């Protein structure tokens, strides 16, 4: 069985790095081998020691100094430099005999999902064995408008990187019981989401969100959102179960 590759993507602070670490520990506790890969050339203080670290090839602060770039320009240059080194990075990853490879992606989502180089990197590193795990940040997703915005971000990421994707409601321990229930309902029932949008307000922003919602429904962006927490470890087994079904039973991967 070739290793399964999971890319954790989401907005800055949504919990990608923490979850990469927590999920590796969970897999290890369950007797599965897992390797972590840091794909963020600008990571400053990671809470875990990645098994493979893109900073061994490309370091943001060195690019800034060498080319006189600011942090954003350097991130863009770094993304392309990672793509140039991808064959070597791939060899290092392939050297591990493991069940799972977990990829922690750069803090800001656009650096990963909006760069053409990311597609090159995923194709080269994972081929048909890659999957996205998109993190919904609960601070955003707990309001109807924020939930629709999160859906749009997830749909955009999936549109850019068309490999199997699961959606996760990250840091679910930080939500109240009522908030959790609402998000769970919205993820299952578009009409409930639509109705919450209208309850929230009828201003222009809501009107636009409702229209977007209909468009998103048409493109099939609606999918269950799995509640997870790196703190309480809730839902980590669900990531595993969904990943297993995507890789071993899912239709998506065969297409
Ligand atoms: N309550 C709670 N906080 C979390 C959880 N996961 C991450 N965090 C916190 O959220 C912040 C951002 O997490 P991080 O993993 O660095 O996000 P990233 O930018 O997506 O990699 C940190 O302060 C984490 O401690 C979680 O499951 N529950
Ligand atoms: Mg991070």
């Amino acid at each position: 069985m070739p290793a399964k590759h999971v890319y954790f993507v989401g907005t800055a602070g949504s919990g990608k790095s923490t979850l990469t670490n927590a999920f590796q520990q969970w897999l290890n506790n369950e007797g599965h081998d897992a390797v972590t890969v840091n794909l963020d050339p600008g990571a400053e203080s990671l809470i875990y020691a990645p098994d493979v670290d893109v900073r061994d090839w490309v370091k943001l602060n060195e690019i800034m100094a060498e080319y006189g770039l600011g942090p954003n320009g350097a991130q863009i240059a770094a993304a392309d430099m990672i793509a140039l080194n991808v064959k070597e990075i791939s060899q290092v990853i392939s050297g591990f005999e493991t069940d799972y490879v977990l990829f922690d992606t750069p803090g800001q989502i656009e650096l990963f999902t909006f760069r053409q180089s990311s597609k090159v990197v995923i194709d080269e590193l994972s081929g048909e064995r890659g999957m996205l795990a998109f993190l919904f940040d609960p601070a955003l997703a707990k309001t109807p408008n924020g939930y629709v915005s999160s859906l749009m971000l997830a749909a955009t990421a999936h549109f850019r990187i068309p490999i199997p994707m699961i959606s996760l409601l990250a840091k679910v321990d930080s939500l109240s019981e009522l908030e959790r229930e609402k998000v769970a309902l919205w993820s299952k029932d578009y009409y409930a989401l639509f109705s919450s949008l209208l309850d929230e307000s009828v201003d222009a922003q809501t009107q636009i969100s409702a229209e977007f919602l209909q468009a998103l429904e048409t493109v099939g962006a609606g999918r269950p959102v799995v509640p997870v927490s790196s703190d309480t470890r809730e839902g980590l087994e669900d990531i595993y179960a969904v990943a297993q079904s995507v890789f071993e039973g899912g239709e998506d991967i065969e297409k």
Side-chain angles (χ1 to χ4, degrees):
M1 242 300 147
K4 303 164 179 77
H5 291 193
V6 183
Y7 291 82
F8 291 101
V9 294
T11 49
S14 58
K16 301 178 291 293
S17 299
T18 312
L19 187 56
T20 301
N21 182 41
F23 192 48
Q24 182 191 37
Q25 286 178 5
W26 184 89
L27 285 166
N28 288 163
N29 286 342
E30 295 293 311
H32 306 290
D33 199 68
V35 165
T36 54
V37 181
N38 170 47
L39 284 183
D40 185 357
E44 278 182 359
S45 51
L46 280 180
I47 57 155
Y48 64 99
D51 298 299
V52 181
D53 194 337
V54 82
R55 292 175 298 180
D56 292 345
W57 287 270
V58 180
K59 274 207 193 77
L60 198 70
N61 48 13
E62 287 175 5
I63 294 173
M64 286 169 68
E66 192 171 333
Y67 300 97
L69 293 167
N72 291 331
Q75 279 279 10
I76 289 168
D80 294 341
M81 287 180 194
I82 292 168
L84 290 174
N85 285 283
V86 71
K87 286 211 191 306
E88 210 179 298
I89 299 171
S90 181
Q91 272 175 1
V92 173
I93 294 172
S94 308
F96 287 88
E97 250 189 51
T98 187
D99 304 315
Y100 272 85
V101 183
L102 311 177
F103 293 88
D104 184 12
T105 64
Q108 287 96 329
I109 187 167
E110 72 272 24
L111 289 170
F112 193 67
T113 58
F114 291 170
R115 302 294 307 169
Q116 195 61 25
S117 49
S118 304
K119 227 183 267 172
V120 173
V121 167
I122 294 179
D123 279 353
E124 180 68 32
L125 297 183
S126 306
E128 295 274 282
R129 290 170 295 137
M131 173 182 125
L132 297 179
F134 186 92
L135 281 73
F136 282 39
D137 188 330
L140 183 64
K142 69 183 177 183
T143 68
N145 255 297
Y147 188 84
V148 173
S149 306
S150 303
L151 270 181
M152 285 166 20
L153 278 173
T156 304
H158 202 198
F159 183 62
R160 295 280 309 165
I161 306 172
I163 61 177
M165 180 175 89
I166 63 170
S167 296
L168 308 174
L169 177 62
K171 309 191 211 181
V172 71
D173 60 280
S174 68
L175 292 180
S176 71
E177 205 47 49
L178 184 65
E179 288 168 336
R180 284 188 63 141
E181 281 168 18
K182 277 204 268 179
V183 175
L185 179 65
W186 296 336
S187 75
K188 288 188 209 115
D189 182 351
Y190 267 103
Y191 294 101
L193 177 56
F194 190 73
S195 148
S196 295
L197 272 171
L198 295 182
D199 288 347
E200 189 180 41
S201 88
V202 287
D203 65 15
Q205 194 190 1
T206 299
Q207 304 265 344
I208 289 169
S209 297
E211 283 161 21
F212 269 121
L213 185 64
Q214 282 168 337
L216 285 174
E217 191 175 10
T218 314
V219 298
R223 58 187 70 244
V225 180
V226 180
V228 301
S229 165
S230 298
D231 273 15
T232 66
R233 307 194 147 215
E234 177 187 348
L236 301 187
E237 73 273 32
D238 298 322
I239 304 178
Y240 176 74
V242 177
Q244 287 294 111
S245 75
V246 162
F247 286 116
E248 281 166 18
E251 299 182 321
D252 278 353
I253 197 79
E254 281 159 20
K255 276 187 200 149

